[in-house]
Amino acid sequence: MTTTTTTKAPSSTTAVSEDPKGLGIKLDIEEYEIASADEAGSADDPLELNINIENAINSYGGKFAVSIPEVTAKLIYLWQDDSGSYDNSAYSNSLYITHTNFNEVSKTSAYRLLTSFSAPNVNGVISPITAEDGSYLTYLFYVDYDEAASLAVEYGLTAQTNEKGTYYDFPIEWAEFGVDTLKTWDNINNVYVEELSNRFEMLDDSGIAGTLIDWQENVVTWGGAIRIYTDAVADTTTTTEEEQMPINMVLDTVYMYPAGSVDTNGEEVAAFGEQAQEYNAYVTADDGVDASSWGLSCAFVLPEVTAKLVSITGIDAGKGIYLSFGESGLVNSSEMQAYYAGDSSASPYAKMAAINQVQATNPVDTGLFQVLFEIPDEETVEAIAKEYGLEKQYADGVWYYEFPVTWAEQAMDGGWTVEDDVATWVESPRFQYMDSTSTTGV
């Protein structure tokens, strides 16, 4: 199972969950909803996808780049005017759009749209663009509605549901910082020329031509999506390799936001040291199956990427990992502690064992164990995920990473037992489940 860490909205150029900073400028790609094939648009009647701005400043111009991932690029067709531009400047607060162009023109590739804009020249006078919140730029597009469900499954998009129906979100993101080739119009020679260009720039209105502001200190960018509602939802169910039995031990899946971030409801997430997130393991049983037990043992593993992410409260003393089952029990986290402290001979698991000395107990009711943990801030989460090659996924309006938690391998574990003041080394299975047939169980 997994620990899923979410971010508030898609973005590559800045941490989107933070509040506006510096000059407070926010660029936000909208989420466009399409409920049927009749709403999918066409070459003759394209749809409008807006990039909106908040806290706009007077400006002599700038540049920005939008990235359209491959799954979305296969779904949509971007409308072009006669000059080959992919935008509609009529909805851009009177900006003069120099040009917008693809890094790839093949519809089977991911698109990157680089837009350059500048203040208009009116009768030889160039004046700054007046600050105005609202639609900043509009891309015109239409979609291949009938292909939405199969594309979503092919690229692993998650089918979501709300009061309107079942849908897939096809992401539209901001590009990473970098340099692209920009195609611009040479008014003197009346030809298009290509030049290297930064992807993100914004000028203020100072002087006669403006001064570049520090983009990363003054602008936040929020990504968007094209949301396709469809009844033709393909089967996204994946089968597990683990055989399902009448009684099963199950690891939880939890969802959480990085420390100090802001969730999708605009609420601030607790800072590191104040989270105390719960992670549980539990037991399920088929109808009519008595899962009551006199005792059991099990062991879970934090793969390296997850161990690097989470901080378990007081792991050195076994605190922060609590057994839910039985009157007496043991949490042995010393192996896990030693392993992540650099002892390669240790095992990266924590073992739980419990015996109920009063009566057989049903762990379906009590659960197996609980781990209290925290995760760091968003920048650290992103860095760990990228270091270990985790895939950034998108569903229901958020981007997220999945950090795995697994059961340990089946094995025998050794330990000392003392009876009549005599210590004996014994080995026992790492996983045991005694039934309720007697005080010792079977």
Side-chain angles (χ1 to χ4, degrees):
M1 298 303 175
T2 57
T3 296
T4 301
T5 352
T6 54
T7 54
K8 183 175 179 183
S11 175
S12 300
T13 59
T14 186
V16 299
S17 60
E18 63 183 333
D19 293 330
K21 54 191 176 181
L23 296 172
I25 303 166
K26 173 185 168 183
L27 290 172
D28 186 4
I29 304 171
E30 72 176 352
E31 291 185 351
Y32 194 100
E33 294 189 349
I34 297 174
S36 67
D38 293 338
E39 299 178 4
S42 66
D44 295 328
D45 186 21
L47 310 173
E48 299 177 357
L49 180 72
N50 293 303
I51 295 178
N52 298 312
I53 189 169
E54 295 180 13
N55 301 315
I57 63 170
N58 293 341
S59 172
Y60 274 99
K63 302 165 187 173
F64 56 77
V66 170
S67 176
I68 301 181
E70 185 171 317
V71 60
T72 310
K74 285 189 173 183
L75 174 79
I76 72 173
Y77 296 86
L78 286 171
W79 180 89
Q80 302 179 53
D81 64 16
D82 293 338
S83 69
S85 184
Y86 297 93
D87 54 69
N88 185 350
S89 58
Y91 295 89
S92 304
N93 298 340
S94 300
L95 303 185
Y96 175 71
I97 307 298
T98 305
H99 202 63
T100 299
N101 57 304
F102 285 138
N103 70 323
E104 296 283 347
V105 295
S106 169
K107 193 171 180 293
T108 60
S109 303
Y111 296 153
R112 185 163 61 249
L113 296 168
L114 177 63
T115 298
S116 173
F117 57 94
S118 59
N121 186 330
V122 180
N123 298 323
V125 178
I126 299 177
S127 301
I129 304 157
T130 302
E132 182 182 348
D133 285 1
S135 178
Y136 203 50
L137 179 72
T138 299
Y139 294 121
L140 303 181
F141 74 101
Y142 55 101
V143 305
D144 192 346
Y145 180 85
D146 293 336
E147 295 296 318
S150 59
L151 281 172
V153 173
E154 179 184 353
Y155 284 84
L157 300 186
T158 302
Q160 306 289 320
T161 57
N162 60 18
E163 67 280 1
K164 296 180 181 180
T166 301
Y167 64 88
Y168 294 102
D169 277 343
F170 289 79
I172 297 180
E173 308 165 352
W174 292 94
E176 296 181 351
F177 278 94
V179 175
D180 271 330
T181 300
L182 181 65
K183 188 178 179 182
T184 60
W185 182 253
D186 182 342
N187 289 315
I188 298 176
N189 298 306
N190 293 323
V191 294
Y192 280 111
V193 295
E194 294 184 350
E195 59 182 15
L196 292 179
S197 170
N198 291 327
R199 292 179 191 154
F200 294 93
E201 291 182 353
M202 186 175 291
L203 294 165
D204 62 19
D205 62 349
S206 62
I208 61 172
T211 301
L212 285 174
I213 67 170
D214 187 326
W215 184 286
Q216 296 190 20
E217 294 298 322
N218 293 285
V219 184
V220 293
T221 52
W222 286 26
I226 297 174
R227 178 168 292 182
I228 307 291
Y229 288 89
T230 175
D231 294 329
V233 179
D235 183 11
T236 59
T237 304
T238 56
T239 56
T240 175
E241 295 181 1
E242 298 177 357
E243 182 182 359
Q244 297 300 298
M245 305 297 288
I247 300 175
N248 297 279
M249 292 182 176
V250 181
L251 291 171
D252 205 357
T253 297
V254 299
Y255 303 86
M256 63 188 304
Y257 291 84
S261 63
V262 177
D263 66 21
T264 50
N265 295 319
E267 299 293 330
E268 186 173 347
V269 178
F272 186 78
E274 302 174 1
Q275 289 179 311
Q277 173 72 37
E278 296 180 0
Y279 182 89
N280 294 283
Y282 52 94
V283 170
T284 63
D286 291 346
D287 291 342
V289 175
D290 181 9
S292 299
S293 171
W294 280 101
L296 53 82
S297 62
C298 58
F300 77 96
V301 176
L302 297 179
E304 186 174 334
V305 59
T306 309
K308 197 164 184 178
L309 173 80
V310 304
S311 296
I312 298 177
T313 306
I315 191 172
D316 57 330
K319 297 176 181 178
I321 306 179
Y322 300 90
L323 267 166
S324 306
F325 172 87
E327 295 295 320
S328 65
L330 170 69
V331 177
N332 179 6
S333 59
S334 59
E335 285 282 321
M336 180 184 285
Q337 177 194 4
Y339 180 85
Y340 289 115
D343 182 358
S344 59
S345 65
S347 298
Y349 67 85
K351 182 176 181 178
M352 278 65 64
I355 298 175
N356 193 319
Q357 297 175 332
V358 178
Q359 63 183 10
T361 299
N362 192 337
V364 174
D365 300 323
T366 66
L368 281 175
F369 62 83
Q370 179 183 90
V371 181
L372 299 182
F373 72 99
E374 297 182 277
I375 66 172
D377 59 84
E378 186 169 355
E379 182 179 352
T380 305
V381 171
E382 290 270 3
I384 294 171
K386 290 179 179 179
E387 178 184 355
Y388 287 86
L390 296 187
E391 179 184 359
K392 197 171 189 178
Q393 303 179 63
Y394 184 76
D396 203 22
V398 295
W399 287 97
Y400 63 91
Y401 294 105
E402 289 188 347
F403 292 79
V405 180
T406 66
W407 292 111
E409 295 180 354
Q410 294 276 2
M412 300 292 288
D413 289 319
W416 292 100
T417 182
V418 179
E419 187 174 349
D420 298 329
D421 296 327
V422 176
T424 306
W425 180 265
V426 296
E427 290 192 344
S428 61
R430 190 173 292 168
F431 291 88
Q432 294 187 89
Y433 197 104
M434 295 180 285
D435 65 19
S436 59
T437 54
S438 68
T439 56
T440 58
V442 177

